[in-house]
Amino acid sequence: MMIWPVLIAMTLAVMAALLVSVYGRRGEVRESAEHDRAVFRDQLNELERDKARGVIGAVEAEAARNEISRRLLRAVPGGLPRASTPWVAALSVLMIPAVALPLYLQRGNPKLPDVPLAARLDGAIENQDFDAMIAKVERHLAGSPDDVQGWTVLAPAYRRLQRWNDAASAFANIMRLGKATPETIASYGEMLVFANEGMVSAEASRAFSEALKLDPKLPKARYFHAVALKQEGKREEARAVFEHLLADSPADAPWRAAVETELMIAGMVDGLEARLKTDGNDLEGWQRLIRSRTVLGEMDKAKGALAEARERFKDRADAIAALAALAKEVGIE
């Protein structure tokens, strides 16, 4: 019976950790979400102004509005409205023992017979046990690491489960065993990008370059090559790659929306900057530009916009204070 005090203590520890997590991070998540929502709302407003001035057509404006709206919705962190109500969070945590105890008594009883691992793996395909199927292939590859067919099976399985690092390793093994196609090399780079939260590392960039040497028209490699150029601050080169990729893409290509979004949002931000060059007395416009550049990862351009805005508003103490607060908020000072 000594097990029960241990289980109770563990349950209480988990409940305490969950409550601390809910209430401790709520403000941090909300602040980040508010920043992203402010940027996307600014982009929607700028889009309407561009449409009114005739800078962008109605069809293009509608497509851009839909994509920005989707990004705005994604900026709302899941569960935040409920977490903001204390009794809901507390009730959810208290439900843990209420649900766990009956389940344990039914399925966690130590007197129940175990399902042997070997039996589970042997019946993985018949039972459509995806995790067991992966485990079975992994066990096979532990003894036969040069079986390229095993890695070919695991790579897309890991990608489906969003196990990006494992997927990258699987694609790397396929390449190591001499079965690298342009698509495999590009997929290896793609997994590295996803594992790195969207940033194109030097290793990933080399993979995309190698894939393009073998197949200059490969859409995935061209797309991420453009993303890498954009992240390096080579905006015009990135735009050219995106435009050529879009021109070569069929109307129903699944990647068209992503390419169009990159071009439209980049065009809107560049259009805002161009307008401020001629009409630089719009403080809110400068603030939108600085925020947008930081969201796009263009920190050098964000700092440049901040410096230019400070120069234009150097005689206005309120504007200088607002710019200083913004710079601190977006992390460029």
Side-chain angles (χ1 to χ4, degrees), residues 210-233:
E210 183 63 26
L212 287 172
K213 289 179 184 177
L214 299 174
D215 183 358
K217 293 294 187 179
L218 186 63
K220 182 185 296 183
R222 294 169 72 184
Y223 175 82
F224 282 107
H225 175 57
V227 172
L229 290 172
K230 184 186 72 171
Q231 292 177 355
E232 292 170 9

Side-chain angles (χ1 to χ4, degrees), residues 86-97:
W87 69 268
V88 175
L91 181 59
S92 300
V93 173
L94 290 174
M95 287 295 293
I96 293 174

Side-chain angles (χ1 to χ4, degrees), residues 10-23 93 96:
M10 292 174 64
T11 302
L12 291 175
V14 170
M15 293 169 64
L18 288 173
L19 285 172
V20 169
S21 176
V22 168
Y23 290 102
V93 173
I96 293 174

Side-chain angles (χ1 to χ4, degrees), residues 29-298:
V29 173
R30 181 182 293 110
E31 181 178 351
S32 174
E34 286 296 336
H35 170 259
D36 290 346
R37 287 199 295 269
V39 171
F40 295 134
R41 289 195 186 99
D42 287 342
Q43 289 178 349
L44 284 172
N45 293 333
E46 188 67 22
L47 175 63
E48 293 302 326
R49 283 189 288 268
D50 287 347
K51 180 182 176 183
R53 298 200 311 270
V55 175
I56 186 172
V59 175
E60 293 83 358
E62 182 62 24
R65 186 184 300 107
N66 291 338
E67 179 58 31
I68 296 170
S69 297
R70 283 194 292 269
R71 294 190 177 198
L72 176 59
L73 290 175
R74 287 198 299 268
V76 180
L80 184 59
R82 294 188 295 275
S84 64
T85 306
W87 69 268
V88 175
L91 181 59
S92 300
V93 173
L94 290 174
M95 287 295 293
I96 293 174
V99 174
L101 182 58
L103 286 176
Y104 173 77
L105 292 175
Q106 180 184 7
R107 297 184 175 275
N109 192 320
K111 295 181 180 179
L112 293 175
D114 292 332
V115 177
L117 176 61
R120 183 185 173 198
L121 295 182
D122 289 341
I125 297 177
E126 294 81 357
N127 298 328
Q128 296 186 344
D129 189 336
F130 192 65
D131 291 337
M133 284 188 280
I134 291 178
K136 187 172 185 177
V137 178
E138 288 174 334
R139 188 175 67 170
H140 165 71
L141 287 172
S144 304
D146 292 339
D147 181 3
V148 68
Q149 187 60 38
W151 294 114
T152 303
V153 170
L154 271 188
Y158 284 146
R159 175 161 52 187
R160 172 180 168 181
L161 294 176
Q162 299 186 7
R163 293 170 57 177
W164 310 126
N165 284 312
D166 289 336
S169 297
F171 281 117
N173 277 300
I174 296 172
M175 295 158 57
R176 173 180 64 84
L177 295 168
K179 300 296 183 179
T181 64
E183 177 65 31
T184 299
I185 299 172
S187 293
Y188 167 66
E190 180 186 31
M191 295 303 98
L192 292 178
V193 172
F194 291 167
N196 201 27
E197 299 183 345
M199 295 301 297
V200 182
S201 65
E203 176 67 16
S205 184
R206 283 193 292 270
F208 298 131
S209 297
E210 183 63 26
L212 287 172
K213 289 179 184 177
L214 299 174
D215 183 358
K217 293 294 187 179
L218 186 63
K220 182 185 296 183
R222 294 169 72 184
Y223 175 82
F224 282 107
H225 175 57
V227 172
L229 290 172
K230 184 186 72 171
Q231 292 177 355
E232 292 170 9
K234 301 175 181 178
R235 191 153 197 84
E236 293 307 315
E237 295 179 45
R239 186 195 298 273
V241 176
F242 279 132
E243 288 175 344
H244 289 148
L245 174 56
L246 192 63
D248 294 340
S249 300
D252 58 349
W255 59 84
R256 280 192 70 96
V259 177
E260 290 170 347
T261 298
E262 290 285 354
L263 287 171
M264 286 179 181
I265 291 181
M268 288 165 52
V269 176
D270 290 343
L272 172 60
E273 184 174 50
R275 179 173 66 79
L276 291 173
K277 294 290 185 182
T278 57
D279 180 16
N281 294 322
D282 181 1
L283 176 60
E284 291 185 0
W286 285 105
Q287 291 172 315
R288 287 198 302 274
L289 178 61
I290 294 167
R291 285 183 185 275
S292 297
R293 292 299 189 197
T294 57
V295 168
L296 292 174
E298 300 171 346

